[in-house]
Amino acid sequence: MKFDTPATTNPIDQMKVVGKATPRIEGPLKTTGHAPYAYEHHDAAANQAYGAVVGSAIAKGRIVSMDLALAESAPGVIAIVTAANAGKLGKGKYNTAPLLGGPQIDHYHQAVALVIAETFEQARAAAELVNISYVVGKGAFDLASSRASGVEAKDQMADTVHGDFAGAYVAAPVQLDETYFTPDQAHAMMEPFASMASWQGDKLTLWTSNQMIDWSVTDLATTLGMPKQNVRLVSPYIGGGFGGKLFIRSDALLAALGARLAKRPVKVALSRPLMINNSTHRPATIQRIRIGANADGKITAMAHEGWSGDLPGGKVERAAQPSKMLYAGENRLVTMRLTTLDLPEGNAMRAPGETPGLMALEIAMDEMAEKLKLDPIEFRILNDTQVDPTNPDRPFSKRQLVECLRTGAERFGWDKRHARPGTQRDGRWLIGMGVGVAFRNNALVKSGARVRLSDQGIVTVETDMTDIGTGSYTIIGQTAAEMMGVPLDQVVVRLGDSSFPVSAGSGGQFGANCSTAGVYAACVKLREAVAQRLGVSVEDAVFADAEVRSGGKNFPLRDAAQGGEIVAEDTIEFAELSKKFQQSTFGAHFVEVAVDSATGETRVRRMLAVCAAGRILNPTSARSQVIGAMTMGVGAALMEELAVDTRRGFFVNHDLAGYEVPVHADIPHQEVIFLDETDAVSSPMKAKGVGELGLCGVSAAIANAVYNATGIRVREYPITLDKMLDKLPQMI
Ligand code: MOS
């Protein structure tokens, strides 16, 4: 189905099932331990062996020699995969550095060997016995000192030059020119990278943990030099990904190579200390922001220039992106520069671009409001735009940012905030409030599904869509139930298998809207097939209460399948509407913090998010997405930082003891409000996404609250107490 005119009334609008707060349909399987994660497909293949990955001990250089003798003679060892016996490997589209290194080394902990043994413990012990000599090359590991060598990565984010920024900035009576720093961050998902591979002749089955099944089938086939149709990927349950699992990683490739060498199924999980340097991370950024405004608070000039680094051939973190269209203003300069760094591979992490970008921009907006003596909410409202400011012919399909800000201000008690910082106390605690805007575009990706109707009236949905803990199973089930007029418990949802139709996958917060739209399209076809079997006109047919009603007659839905199961398949495709309209999601984050006036310890006290993101398909799982994202925003603001060893080129704190993320005790009362919204331009579902929106702008709201509490402006994340101690107001 081509989606190229705005949606009108359709069965989803009944909202009998869609839009209802619904617990996850796969929840009981997970809470009882019956949902198999990637390392747990114990019964799927007999005679499994275990692989342990050896990571490079240097960041850049070459392997001179590998002595495998000790490892090979260790108890239980079956085989060892290295670049020397792996055969010729192709280059996948989504990996920057080879997933199996050697003799050239591209980054620290790049996989260089897989030791396969009878047990996990034997494999792990033998992996310690692999003896490797290296020659160490000279690498670049420090973004700040590499910054000047940055280049435009046109294919990823071309410069925006609109009007005359320089002239308008110089002429502006009120100016801001500040630079902000965001650190490298780890996805730190609960489930590690894990895969099990099994060969049947020249056909490969890989059970893994992956967000984008079709991308990963393609990359695995390319890397192994085999036809795509000979690779099957199975990933039904995923313990978090946050972008780290958009692509295959070394566990997947090495399990496949290992199983081929050992001639039996091989399981590989990356250990936690290996994961952070072996896989991808969110790259650090430096962002210079200049804003010029008239005395009345109208922005006249906006420049957002950013820098990030990656391995040769890698990606820029598009942090400056939101400044292209979040606020009005005639004159604009938005650029990102990519430098070469020999650190582990940078790539997408939850709301790539917007997350670090808004960490900077939304502090800058707070600083500018203060210079203008305006309330930070009023300043943002004053500079709202309903069109793309660099292309006035391109309106936002829906933009309720002002409503988010006003609703949030009222619900949060913004009127109790004191504009003058450092003036509110609660005993030894300094109290402050902050606001930050959330903004993330609504990407549209084609998505397919197959639906079946059985003679028992059961509707089964099959699509390679994944559920990374987000609730895909449930919203897909709700969609099929609504379309076919059956209760949710008569729908079976099967996901995450490359033998099913190719979906949008879980990425860029487009999964919810696009994958359900694909199910909608398949159900439209199934309704037609049902009507035809029953000999009624689909135009008049009403699908409700497991019946089909037409022309005064009622048929049980299952009657249509008495002559045999009915199967329908379709793919939703998007085109024109994403060109005519700018589709984005919006929100506003409100935070109250307390900062210990003696120690600088920051506690978040209250959080509120107000989101406008199209139709909310399931308020329960959508809320979970947003509170999870808000929690991640607390981590980004106050804790998370991969510490770079700029001498040796690796992330030092590469486990969950050293890489701190928030725990329950760090998280206070959280509230989420979804504004009533449908967006007829986004899809027949009229939905968008919230999974990434929820993270955008949170950390700046916290930074702004810390400033309001203390009068200390920290522009380098995370906001740890060492950055405030010498500036805290004197104790009484
Ligand atoms: Mo997202 S960073 O596209 O999983």
Side-chain angles (χ1 to χ4, degrees), residues 460-532:
T460 301
V461 187
E462 295 170 337
T463 160
D464 84 356
M465 179 61 189
T466 49
D467 188 328
I468 61 172
T470 39
S472 311
Y473 277 101
T474 312
I475 55 173
I476 283 172
Q478 288 173 280
T479 302
E482 195 80 81
M483 289 299 289
M484 301 314 298
V486 298
L488 186 55
D489 62 10
Q490 286 187 37
V491 180
V492 175
V493 182
R494 302 176 66 198
L495 302 182
D497 188 324
S498 61
S499 65
F500 300 151
V502 174
S503 73
S506 296
Q509 82 168 7
F510 51 69
N513 177 50
C514 299
S515 73
T516 54
V519 174
Y520 168 93
C523 287
V524 168
K525 283 206 168 165
L526 184 59
R527 286 164 64 107
E528 286 164 7
V530 165
Q532 196 184 17

Side-chain angles (χ1 to χ4, degrees), residues 103-119:
Q104 180 182 312
I105 297 298
D106 303 284
H107 64 85
Y108 184 76
H109 272 179
Q110 183 176 26
V112 292
L114 181 80
V115 178
I116 304 155
E118 296 292 340
T119 70

Side-chain angles (χ1 to χ4, degrees), residues 67-332:
D67 183 354
L68 305 177
L70 264 181
E72 278 168 344
S73 61
V77 170
I78 299 162
I80 301 178
V81 179
T82 67
N85 65 3
K88 189 171 151 36
L89 297 177
K91 163 94 179 62
K93 183 172 164 195
Y94 299 101
N95 301 127
T96 303
L99 295 176
L100 175 61
Q104 180 182 312
I105 297 298
D106 303 284
H107 64 85
Y108 184 76
H109 272 179
Q110 183 176 26
V112 292
L114 181 80
V115 178
I116 304 155
E118 296 292 340
T119 70
F120 168 74
E121 289 78 6
Q122 288 171 332
R124 188 178 55 179
E128 297 288 318
L129 303 175
V130 173
N131 199 351
I132 307 174
S133 307
Y134 302 91
V135 279
V136 180
K138 194 172 153 36
F141 306 121
D142 181 35
L143 177 61
S145 56
S146 312
R147 172 177 167 182
S149 66
V151 295
E152 182 181 4
K154 272 208 166 77
D155 54 327
Q156 298 167 40
M157 187 183 142
D159 292 355
T160 296
V161 181
H162 188 73
D164 170 21
F165 167 77
Y169 183 71
V170 169
V174 184
Q175 299 170 333
L176 171 103
D177 181 354
E178 293 291 353
T179 300
Y180 306 84
F181 300 84
T182 66
D184 296 286
Q185 294 177 338
H187 302 88
M189 70 296 259
M190 285 291 283
E191 184 198 23
F193 292 95
S195 297
M196 177 172 78
S198 173
W199 291 85
Q200 306 84 39
D202 59 358
K203 292 197 163 63
L204 170 68
T205 305
L206 191 87
W207 293 264
T208 189
S209 183
N210 187 278
Q211 299 175 217
M212 302 292 290
I213 301 297
D214 192 57
W215 291 7
S216 295
V217 167
T218 305
D219 258 18
L220 198 54
T222 308
T223 310
L224 290 168
M226 58 191 284
K228 195 177 159 182
Q229 64 270 21
N230 285 0
V231 178
R232 180 172 169 218
L233 229 73
V234 186
S235 179
Y237 303 105
I238 300 160
F242 306 122
K245 293 175 182 169
L246 289 166
F247 327 105
I248 54 159
R249 298 301 313 170
S250 61
D251 57 300
L253 177 65
L254 287 170
L257 292 171
R260 195 161 68 185
L261 190 64
K263 299 188 170 50
R264 54 196 269 201
V266 169
K267 271 183 177 173
V268 179
L270 298 189
S271 68
R272 187 67 67 177
L274 192 73
M275 264 174 63
I276 283 178
N277 287 288
N278 180 270
S279 70
T280 64
H281 65 281
R282 187 201 299 284
T285 68
I286 300 171
Q287 300 177 55
R288 181 188 185 194
I289 297 180
R290 282 173 289 169
I291 305 175
N294 289 333
D296 64 3
K298 286 271 193 197
I299 294 173
T300 54
M302 163 81 76
H304 192 158
E305 296 158 284
W307 293 262
S308 73
D310 201 2
L311 289 167
K315 296 196 175 54
V316 74
E317 177 70 30
R318 296 180 287 188
Q321 179 93 10
S323 290
K324 289 186 173 183
M325 59 178 77
L326 182 48
Y327 297 112
E330 291 299 309
N331 305 289
R332 194 173 302 261

Side-chain angles (χ1 to χ4, degrees), residues 337 421 563 656 659:
R337 293 290 173 265
L656 290 180
Y659 187 83

